Amino acid sequence: MGFSDRFHQYFMELAMREAAKAAEAGEVPTGCVIVQPPADDDVPLAAVRVIARAHNQSEMLKDATAHAEIIALTQASAALGDWRLSNTLLYVTKEPCPMCAGAIVLARVTTVVWGVSDPKRGGHTVFSILNHPGLNHRPELVAGVKERECRQILQEFFQRRRTEGKGREFDPG
């Protein structure tokens, strides 16, 4: 089943809401949702099952692995009762880092959709983890969904950090 631009934009907007929660909490604003695709195209978007919603929580939890994607993968596995997340779509506002990309491959997520690419640290753009021929799973990839809006969320966050003079290094994970 092919998914329309409208379908991808709808769920990226949900991920963007999660990113806003992260920003409000002082976390790098990355948000993620995981959905099960509908059986047919006639299902209203609001009726599509969202099995996970998460945002970065590394600062709050004092945990380097508390990225939005990792938390969402854990939630989705619990919701489905299986670590194999076949037949799921993962939406994330920023391209997954290498750690998250590896977890996504291991969880066998069917499709990964992200907003803004990360040309310095991206798990796909830089390291090609999501389509590496040596791995046993390669998800379908869709990049650039609501890219401008996702980039703006990140830029505003880091501009605010600089203005506040926090001076701390943050991993944009």
Side-chain angles (χ1 to χ4, degrees):
M1 166 187 271
F3 298 98
S4 68
D5 289 343
R6 184 171 167 260
F7 187 94
H8 288 321
Q9 290 173 6
Y10 179 86
F11 291 104
M12 186 59 71
E13 287 174 10
L14 296 182
M16 289 168 53
R17 289 182 197 166
E18 290 297 319
K21 290 178 188 177
E24 289 171 20
E27 302 278 354
V28 172
T30 302
C32 182
V33 297
I34 302 177
V35 304
Q36 284 189 305
D40 60 61
D41 293 330
D42 296 332
V43 174
L45 290 173
V48 173
R49 183 173 180 211
V50 176
I51 57 174
R53 297 172 192 261
H55 55 274
N56 280 359
Q57 296 182 39
S58 295
E59 296 296 325
M60 182 182 81
L61 298 176
K62 309 292 185 235
D63 180 354
T65 68
H67 290 198
E69 301 95 335
I70 300 295
I71 295 167
L73 290 169
T74 300
Q75 288 176 2
S77 294
L80 298 178
D82 194 347
W83 62 267
R84 291 174 196 85
L85 299 178
S86 305
N87 197 32
T88 61
L89 291 92
L90 182 146
Y91 290 85
V92 63
T93 55
K94 188 184 74 56
E95 176 184 356
C97 72
M99 172 185 69
C100 294
I104 288 165
V105 169
L106 292 173
R108 301 191 182 34
V109 171
T110 306
T111 304
V112 179
V113 181
W114 70 79
V116 64
S117 293
D118 186 350
K120 292 183 180 178
R121 295 175 209 84
H124 175 70
T125 302
V126 177
F127 299 99
S128 300
I129 294 168
L130 294 171
N131 67 354
H132 194 283
L135 297 173
N136 65 347
H137 176 73
R138 286 174 286 290
E140 179 182 338
L141 306 176
V142 180
V145 174
K146 297 191 101 30
E147 180 177 10
R148 183 181 56 77
E149 296 92 330
C150 291
R151 177 174 281 111
Q152 184 176 356
I153 291 168
L154 286 163
Q155 288 175 336
E156 287 175 358
F157 175 80
F158 285 110
Q159 286 171 351
R160 191 168 50 252
R161 284 303 221 182
R162 285 189 292 276
T163 301
E164 292 171 357
K166 292 289 183 187
R168 285 186 66 187
E169 280 285 321
F170 281 94
D171 175 12

